[in-house]
Amino acid sequence: MNALRSLRPDDSRALKSQGWKRPRHLLTSGLSLSYDLRPDEAARRAAASGNWRHNLRRSDKYGLVVTRWNDPTAEEISAIYREMEALKGLDQQHSLEEIRALLKTIGDRFILFRCRDASGATIALRGCGYFGTDAWDLLAAATPAARKVYASHAVLWALTGECRRLGVESYDLSGIDPKGNKGVYDFKKGTGAAHQQYLGEWEWSNLPGLCWAANLAMRYRKGRL
């Protein structure tokens, strides 16, 4: 069982000594999962849960084609997000403008893989940014059809394999909420990734009422997420 890697106590103490405090209402859990890419493919398969390995094998049966997507347009990526959001009843995850900015800003430090079904339609994608030996999950979307053929397993496996080939050793799966979003948590945890705790959200203001107002806004926004 993977242990939770805690923050250094000095990090929190330093913030508290400067008057910072934890917000009453948090937008994120402050938790993530770090996927170790140093082991070879066989070892990483063995470290995954039995169910995750089973679903990855299942994805081989449907004629899926998983490739690196070197010239994506923001519109194509956005269309897959809109399908996913409609299926799950989600608020907008990334606007078209945000996706355009991401592609422009990260440039050649962005790696995107897509999964196409037997008809050639793109049904899933996953992308990350990387620098040196570290990479971070940035985009992940799948259409309703992708769920039936385990496309998300296939595309994540291909993406992390490419990252390893490029010298990445640690892949941050970018946020988990074990209670509020258990399905996504189970998928990410099934890879064999280890829990990672970040410093998380803190607040400070020299205006007494400003933190109260910000927390009220956060409470309202979180209720809509």
Side-chain angles (χ1 to χ4, degrees), residues 10 43 131 145:
D10 289 349
F131 186 80

Side-chain angles (χ1 to χ4, degrees), residues 21 24 28 46 50 54 60 107 157 183:
K21 63 181 180 179
R24 185 183 298 272
T28 65
H54 181 56
D60 292 333
W157 188 253

Side-chain angles (χ1 to χ4, degrees), residues 111-175:
I111 306 172
L112 183 67
F113 269 71
R114 66 173 166 179
C115 178
R116 287 174 285 184
D117 63 16
S119 72
T122 299
I123 58 174
L125 64 84
R126 198 167 204 110
C128 71
Y130 76 102
F131 186 80
T133 59
D134 297 304
W136 300 266
D137 230 24
L138 293 175
L139 296 177
T143 68
R147 301 182 66 182
K148 301 175 182 178
V149 295
Y150 308 97
S152 293
H153 293 76
V155 77
L156 177 58
W157 188 253
L159 172 59
T160 52
E162 175 70 358
C163 285
R164 185 179 188 275
R165 188 187 70 79
L166 293 171
V168 173
E169 298 179 356
S170 178
Y171 189 102
D172 191 320
L173 286 161
S174 292

Side-chain angles (χ1 to χ4, degrees), residues 69 72-74 76-78 80-82 84-85 93-104 106 110-114 124-129 136-142 152 155-156 159 171-174 187-188:
W69 199 354
T73 67
E76 289 172 310
I77 295 172
S78 178
I80 297 173
Y81 265 97
R82 302 298 85 85
M84 180 184 71
E85 291 156 359
Q93 303 296 292
H94 299 288
S95 69
L96 180 59
E97 291 73 22
E98 288 171 343
I99 296 170
R100 283 175 177 159
L102 177 67
L103 296 177
K104 179 179 179 180
I106 299 182
F110 182 61
I111 306 172
L112 183 67
F113 269 71
R114 66 173 166 179
L125 64 84
R126 198 167 204 110
C128 71
W136 300 266
D137 230 24
L138 293 175
L139 296 177
S152 293
V155 77
L156 177 58
L159 172 59
Y171 189 102
D172 191 320
L173 286 161
S174 292
F187 172 78
K188 294 181 177 182

